[in-house]
Amino acid sequence: PPAAVAPLGQSNVVGRTYADILQDMVDYYSFCQYDGSSGGGWRYSCNQAPDGSVAQWAAIGLIAAERGFGSTIPQIVKDWNRVWVDFAHDAATGQSGYTQAGYYPWGPYATTPSGTVQMAMDGIGRGTQLWDSSELFLRSTFCNTGGAYYAIRNNYYGLFSFTKSMLLHDSNADGVSEPITLLGGDLDWYGAQSADGDVCDGVARWLVDGQNPIGFWSGHN
């Protein structure tokens, strides 16, 4: 729990509450947000020009800190991230790019759900052009097959941020999750099963069927 005190660690950790420690982490991530003209995303190093794929990790962590531990994310961080989300988003296709809209050297399935989970952090959800166009793209291609370049279900990296964005969706900018059950309003992205007549398998069945017999995942047929 946030008020629990760390019993071990270095001098800047031991004896402090987890809430305080996490706030330090939020403050550092906020400080390291890119401040260039493309807007406030993140990459691998502090204040490095954004990578549309990597920026998901900042959003996922910051959302958890804010909603689960009561951490404060400065509003300017969300506002500046919105500039980056707009910069990387292609309104015509609903896809988000790596360093800018339209740039997908490894396909759009790591970056587009990274975009939607950043939207969840910023309080941008259903009813906005940004979210709705991205959700439409993800719904229209969700059942694709092929490698990670062509299909989100084969891109486990992107599938993780997609799942996070569906569960953490927030259209009111109030920090309260509004989970989405039906992608595009009709597809149970988690529980669908083609064996039951659904259009394709959702995340749960897809992962179960793709697991190697000795327990790991390396891809999916």
Side-chain angles (χ1 to χ4, degrees), residues 120-191:
M121 180 185 73
D122 298 336
I124 303 165
R126 280 181 166 173
T128 66
Q129 192 281 332
L130 271 172
W131 181 279
D132 289 346
S133 62
S134 294
E135 184 175 348
L136 178 62
F137 167 72
L138 292 169
R139 169 61 186 90
S140 67
T141 59
F142 184 81
C143 296
N144 283 9
T145 57
Y149 187 101
Y150 302 101
I152 189 169
R153 292 182 303 165
N154 272 326
N155 190 317
Y156 289 167
Y157 182 100
L159 196 59
F160 182 83
S161 53
F162 164 78
T163 298
K164 288 292 186 180
S165 67
M166 294 295 104
L167 297 176
L168 299 172
H169 167 259
D170 170 21
S171 64
N172 296 314
D174 59 2
V176 177
S177 301
E178 305 164 42
I180 291 174
T181 302
L182 299 178
L183 180 64
D186 69 337
L187 176 61
D188 183 349
W189 60 268
Y190 183 78

Side-chain angles (χ1 to χ4, degrees), residues 3-20:
V5 175
L8 300 171
Q10 296 182 351
S11 59
N12 60 345
V13 171
V14 65
R16 299 180 62 204
T17 66
Y18 291 112
D20 286 343

Side-chain angles (χ1 to χ4, degrees), residues 76-100:
I76 192 172
V77 172
K78 297 181 181 181
D79 293 343
W80 194 229
N81 181 244
R82 168 64 189 268
V83 175
W84 157 251
V85 170
D86 279 327
F87 181 82
H89 182 77
D90 185 336
T93 66
Q95 300 172 52
S96 295
Y98 278 85
T99 55
Q100 62 187 38

